Amino acid sequence: MDRRTHRAAHRVEGRSAAPGIALGPLVRLAVAKHDARQHRSAAEEHQALVDALAASKVALTVLAREVGDTDAEAILSFQIALLEDDNLAAPAFALISGGAAASRAWRAAIDPQIASYDTADDPFFRARASDLRDLRDRVRRQMAGEADQAVPAGVIVAADDMPPSMFLTTDWRDGGLVLRRGSPSSHVAILARSRGVPMIVGVDVDHLEDDKDAMLDGDAGLLIVDPDSDMRAIYSRRRAEQADVRQAVGSFSGPALTASGEVVRVMINVTGLAELKGLDPAHVDGIGLMRTEFLFQGREKLPTEEEQYQIYKRMVEWAAGKPVTIRTLDAGGDKPIAGLTEPGDINPFLGVRGVRLSLRHLDVFREQLRALVRAATAGNLKVMIPMVTVPEELDQCRTLFEQALEELNREGQNAKMPPLGMMVEVPAAALTIEDFNADFFSIGSNDLIQYVAAASRDEPQLADLARPSRAVFGLIRRVVDYADRSGRETSLCGDLAGDPEQVAALLDQGLRTFSVAPGALGPVKAAISRYSGPAA
């Protein structure tokens, strides 16, 4: 008789971060402690950090070449770019000059930046915290002469957190991941979804034991320790069924069509050029959201007009005539940018952010607008303004765009006024959408949901509230209906658009343009293909 039938199964609940089923032994990943070598002089400490930074860059460059994955390359490219930025290590070298050990100086320089990312509202920036933590620990391992931690294949890993680079070097066949930290929008979660690795987060891993038989249900956010034979049989069947579904989903590379043959546009959300490597523009309907915050983060000086122009132009050229929607700087409050934002927002969710910040720093905003109207001459560029609440904000932005165009024309530079739209993420804007002089609308579901429910989407205790509700779908329907009547386009670029389980509900509201993370293209197109119309 199977010895597992005599054990009581132990259920541990978390939050789903990547779907799928894993069966295998549970392995606790210990927190690494880096034994820093103490050098005898400031010069030797300085050289130790220089060598560790160089070795880390080489290792990440090699790994980026080996992974062959767009999402992974983008994550590793961000870390490599940080290592190439002298400003990152400058505070550490200053501390070393004052007598600090290299390892401690490096950590003292990086930890405040990690903390600022950890507390950000935007999931994109919170994901960067894990990247910085990964980079911090890699450099410290180099200084301590330690090898990277190895994870055996075919196990369910339980850990406080997992660095993206460790995830990429692990053989995940038949394995899964259980974390205390992280979120469904973290970079490890993105990698897990793209590779079909079941993953849950928000689990108290301290009470999990090594080598216990376990079953991970990434769909339900559930870990079952010591499952009995009946449970194992049920989940084995589910895993086989899901493997068949994933294979079918991978075939959706062409246009998205509903079951009745109606075309639905599916675009992508990106943060920069690195995410476009290896991605064929023929497989997408354009870029529905390009976040410009990455250009401003982690720098000593703000990007110039020319720097911004070159990046915007290259993105438009990549799209080869398809639309590229670039969002103006969405920062402030909980997303600090040196030289631009001010600390002290009492409530970062409701503070000076998005267009509110831009209209208070017109010198910075005007440079971005000049770069955008110049890049508009390269192709099909559209611009949208974040956090618009009242019509006057959008009107002021349009006036500033027109002024930038006039200035460039007087200077003899090529420039063009792009279509100007707005993010619909504030309930007040959705309820009075008829009052806004926007060329198009893009619904930001992340903020819209939490503002409607007055519940943070990152507070586990409020998970049942911070979900799409009838009230949220009602506002989406209101925006779509008005846009259709007035001959304007509406898209949805928040996380809701990338959830295959919500595709039918969004199509029921009349939405016909989605913008999703690149990894969600296949699943969302597959969900669209199954849609046959509103339920009777």
Side-chain angles (χ1 to χ4, degrees):
M1 182 177 290
D2 191 335
R3 61 188 175 88
R4 284 181 292 265
T5 61
H6 295 288
R7 296 176 181 171
H10 175 48
R11 297 165 62 91
V12 181
E13 294 187 358
R15 295 174 63 201
S16 173
I21 306 296
L23 302 168
L26 194 62
V27 172
R28 282 284 310 277
L29 194 64
V31 177
K33 296 182 179 179
H34 310 296
D35 182 20
R37 295 172 178 172
Q38 177 68 49
H39 297 266
R40 291 175 297 181
S41 68
E44 288 173 318
E45 294 287 345
H46 181 102
Q47 191 60 45
L49 180 54
V50 169
D51 292 343
L53 292 170
S56 296
K57 180 181 174 182
V58 170
L60 289 170
T61 301
V62 171
L63 181 57
R65 282 201 304 265
E66 292 174 346
V67 293
D69 178 280
T70 302
D71 288 326
E73 287 179 2
I75 293 166
L76 296 174
S77 295
F78 173 75
Q79 293 193 29
I80 293 169
L82 286 174
L83 288 172
E84 293 173 341
D85 185 352
D86 293 338
N87 294 320
L88 179 72
F93 285 120
L95 290 171
I96 291 170
S97 298
S103 182
R104 295 190 185 93
W106 171 248
R107 179 158 194 161
I110 299 301
D111 280 354
Q113 296 190 49
I114 293 173
S116 70
Y117 279 103
D118 264 331
T119 57
D121 172 39
D122 193 316
F124 163 71
F125 289 107
R126 285 196 305 278
R128 294 305 196 205
S130 181
D131 293 345
L132 278 173
R133 208 175 281 113
D134 188 6
L135 186 60
R136 177 199 66 192
D137 294 343
R138 175 177 290 278
V139 173
R140 294 186 76 209
R141 286 197 303 275
Q142 290 286 348
M143 285 188 279
E146 298 173 357
D148 293 346
Q149 284 182 287
V151 178
V155 301
I156 297 174
V157 178
D160 189 67
D161 197 5
M162 173 162 280
S165 63
M166 180 184 290
F167 182 95
L168 292 168
T169 55
T170 298
D171 182 352
W172 288 107
R173 282 176 294 180
D174 300 322
L177 184 57
V178 178
L179 298 180
R180 184 200 309 274
R181 306 181 64 158
S183 74
S185 57
S186 70
H187 277 161
V188 168
I190 293 170
L191 293 172
R193 288 193 292 271
S194 69
R195 285 161 167 74
V197 180
M199 172 180 167
I200 66 174
V201 297
V203 174
D204 182 3
V205 298
D206 291 339
H207 302 292
L208 300 178
E209 298 180 34
D210 267 337
D211 293 328
K212 288 281 189 179
D213 287 331
M215 193 163 57
L216 178 61
D217 185 342
D219 301 88
L222 180 66
L223 176 72
I224 301 176
V225 182
D226 283 334
D228 60 31
S229 296
D230 290 340
M231 287 181 181
R232 292 172 66 86
I234 291 169
Y235 276 86
S236 293
R237 285 196 298 271
R238 280 186 54 194
R239 183 168 62 173
E241 291 168 358
Q242 290 182 354
D244 292 340
V245 170
R246 282 196 300 272
Q247 186 175 0
V249 161
S251 65
F252 287 90
S253 60
L257 300 173
T258 65
S260 62
E262 184 179 5
V263 175
V264 178
R265 296 208 302 169
V266 184
M267 302 189 288
I268 55 172
N269 301 333
V270 298
T271 58
L273 293 165
E275 291 168 274
L276 302 179
K277 292 179 182 177
L279 184 62
D280 187 345
H283 293 166
V284 301
D285 292 309
I287 296 174
L289 168 63
M290 185 269 182
R291 302 177 179 93
T292 60
E293 292 78 40
F294 84 102
L295 289 172
F296 292 74
Q297 281 283 338
R299 301 172 55 117
E300 190 173 84
K301 295 181 180 179
L302 299 178
T304 64
E305 173 190 327
E306 186 63 26
E307 285 180 85
Q308 294 183 66
Y309 162 68
Q310 292 295 339
I311 290 174
Y312 303 154
K313 175 174 172 285
R314 287 169 64 188
M315 300 200 83
V316 171
E317 290 172 342
W318 173 88
K322 293 180 178 178
V324 174
T325 304
I326 297 179
R327 183 176 68 187
T328 59
L329 181 62
D330 187 13
D334 62 335
K335 293 185 285 188
I337 293 178
L340 184 60
T341 58
E342 297 181 6
D345 258 348
I346 296 174
N347 188 334
F349 289 103
L350 308 176
V352 182
R353 51 179 295 206
V355 69
R356 304 168 184 177
L357 180 74
S358 293
L359 293 177
R360 284 166 174 78
H361 293 271
L362 292 179
D363 54 337
V364 176
F365 195 31
R366 284 193 173 102
E367 281 210 327
Q368 183 171 40
L369 299 185
R370 283 172 58 94
L372 287 166
V373 295
R374 289 172 61 193
T377 62
N380 191 356
L381 184 145
K382 301 161 70 175
V383 177
M384 64 181 175
I385 309 297
M387 283 297 293
V388 175
T389 306
V390 295
E392 291 78 12
E393 291 170 326
L394 187 62
D395 293 341
Q396 190 172 350
C397 291
R398 190 176 293 278
T399 298
L400 290 169
F401 258 110
E402 292 169 348
Q403 291 174 353
L405 181 63
E406 292 173 4
E407 289 173 3
L408 289 164
N409 286 337
R410 286 197 301 269
E411 295 168 12
Q413 296 199 57
N414 290 330
K416 176 183 174 183
M417 183 69 181
L420 182 62
M422 61 181 275
M423 292 282 290
V424 183
E425 49 197 338
V426 178
L431 289 167
T432 58
I433 197 67
E434 302 87 352
D435 298 338
F436 291 86
N437 181 25
D439 297 325
F440 63 92
F441 304 106
S442 181
I443 299 170
S445 60
N446 297 352
D447 276 328
L448 185 63
I449 289 171
Q450 69 176 351
Y451 289 149
V452 168
S456 170
R457 62 182 181 270
D458 298 315
E459 173 51 66
Q461 299 180 75
L462 302 179
D464 289 340
L465 291 176
R467 291 177 177 173
S469 61
R470 190 161 66 91
V472 171
F473 283 122
L475 291 177
I476 292 172
R477 183 80 200 206
R478 177 182 177 83
V479 175
V480 171
D481 283 350
Y482 171 70
D484 289 347
R485 291 196 309 270
S486 59
R488 303 176 219 193
E489 180 184 85
T490 303
S491 64
L492 195 150
C493 63
D495 289 343
L496 191 61
D499 184 350
E501 294 185 3
Q502 300 295 340
V503 164
L506 292 170
L507 291 169
D508 283 349
Q509 311 314 313
L511 189 76
R512 291 298 182 268
T513 303
F514 292 65
S515 191
V516 305
L521 278 168
V524 168
K525 287 185 177 184
I528 290 169
S529 73
R530 296 190 293 269
Y531 180 77
S532 57

